Amino acid sequence: MTLIYRLEIELHDNLYFATREIGRLYETEPIIHNYALCYALGLIDSDIYSTRVPEEHSYSYFCPQQMPKYEEHLTPLNQQKIYVTPGRSLSHSTTLNTWKYADNRYHVEMQKTQKNIPSFGRNKEIAPESIFECFIISEKPLKLARWIRLGKWMSKAEVKVEETLDLKASTTEKEFIFPFPLNPLDVIFSHQVINYDVINMPPVSLIKNVKLKGQCYRFNNIDIPAQMEYRFSLT
């Protein structure tokens, strides 16, 4: 049995993460990476979803190391046949916030500055009431949280879920267009990717408006690629 969940995620706070840095401007793309969604939805290192990882790779709110462990954290989702697609914007607006910083040390050596340049930057963030959409493909029922946190500011967001039961992938390969974003590493091993647009963002750039050939699920008149799983290299 294959279940597909369609999620609508509505922001209740500003959403910020640095998709790209242009000088002093840090811009947030209206796309949510599927890695980020896996963490936000609580699917990582969970007894509920049977994705617990070894103690040396455990995930918690406080991480003593700054090096991401995507392969260690996401591989258990492959084992449980749970896959989350990246989220696209259904409707969104942006805000531009300016920040400044200063040296907060109590004792500093006063030195003459060569230039009078203020220390500041700007964040382009996704505004509250923006709505994103993504899909979860699973072979067993999932009980998903209604409220999640996203981005650098741990912004509050509400999750609304639509579920379709017992879908079967097409038994023959066909060409189809998937207008939603995809992680290319997760689809190129199961499908022939014909053409696409690139979305440059870390840690893995995504693709959208993808024309591909392979097996798919039919969900609300949308062909969703089947057999996707998390991959971390081209080999």
Side-chain angles (χ1 to χ4, degrees):
M1 179 175 69
T2 299
L3 311 176
I4 293 187
Y5 299 86
R6 175 184 170 272
L7 275 57
E8 280 194 9
I9 302 171
E10 181 176 356
L11 301 182
H12 285 239
D13 295 312
N14 279 2
L15 173 64
Y16 166 69
F17 50 87
T19 307
R20 64 179 64 87
E21 301 177 10
I22 309 170
R24 294 180 183 269
L25 174 65
Y26 301 86
E27 186 173 0
T28 304
E29 181 81 20
I31 297 285
I32 305 177
H33 205 287
N34 59 335
Y35 291 0
L37 284 171
C38 288
Y39 287 95
L41 291 166
L43 301 174
I44 301 295
D45 199 13
S46 167
D47 289 328
I48 297 174
Y49 305 110
S50 301
T51 59
R52 185 64 69 189
V53 300
E55 183 66 27
E56 63 268 24
H57 302 311
S58 63
Y59 173 75
S60 62
Y61 182 80
F62 171 74
C63 296
Q65 298 179 351
Q66 295 299 313
M67 182 66 67
K69 296 185 175 182
Y70 298 125
E71 185 169 359
E72 292 83 359
H73 290 165
L74 294 168
T75 297
L77 295 185
N78 289 340
Q79 297 164 353
Q80 296 301 318
K81 305 298 183 183
I82 300 171
Y83 185 82
V84 184
T85 68
R88 71 164 183 175
S89 166
L90 291 179
S91 63
H92 76 277
S93 57
T94 60
T95 62
L96 191 62
N97 296 317
T98 299
W99 51 267
K100 300 179 181 179
Y101 64 87
D103 192 329
N104 290 325
R105 291 175 294 176
Y106 291 105
H107 301 284
V108 296
E109 181 181 353
M110 300 301 293
Q111 297 179 348
K112 184 177 180 180
T113 58
Q114 300 298 318
K115 295 181 180 180
N116 183 22
I117 301 176
S119 297
F120 72 95
R122 291 187 175 91
N123 293 342
K124 185 177 180 181
E125 304 175 359
I126 309 298
E129 299 185 0
S130 299
I131 299 175
F132 291 84
E133 176 184 32
C134 71
F135 297 97
I136 300 179
I137 304 170
S138 175
E139 290 193 357
K140 60 183 180 181
L142 302 176
K143 186 175 178 60
L144 300 167
R146 181 183 174 188
W147 298 96
I148 62 174
R149 298 281 179 175
L150 289 166
K152 295 290 188 181
W153 308 148
M154 297 296 286
S155 307
K156 187 176 182 180
E158 183 179 5
V159 179
K160 299 177 183 177
V161 181
E162 176 186 352
E163 178 182 358
T164 293
L165 299 175
D166 197 14
L167 291 177
K168 292 181 173 60
S170 58
T171 55
T172 58
E173 294 187 349
K174 72 174 203 176
E175 287 190 6
F176 60 97
I177 294 176
F178 188 66
F180 298 78
L182 286 173
N183 187 323
L185 287 179
D186 302 342
V187 75
I188 60 174
F189 292 94
S190 57
H191 293 71
Q192 177 187 352
V193 179
I194 300 170
N195 53 49
Y196 53 85
D197 299 324
V198 176
I199 308 168
N200 291 312
M201 62 187 305
V204 177
S205 291
L206 304 178
I207 55 178
K208 65 178 180 178
N209 300 322
V210 187
K211 183 178 181 181
L212 51 147
K213 181 179 181 180
Q215 295 185 3
C216 62
Y217 298 104
R218 189 70 173 171
F219 178 89
N220 288 356
N221 298 318
I222 300 171
D223 290 320
I224 302 176
Q227 302 176 329
M228 289 188 293
E229 64 178 13
Y230 299 101
R231 304 293 289 261
F232 309 97
S233 70
L234 294 175
T235 57

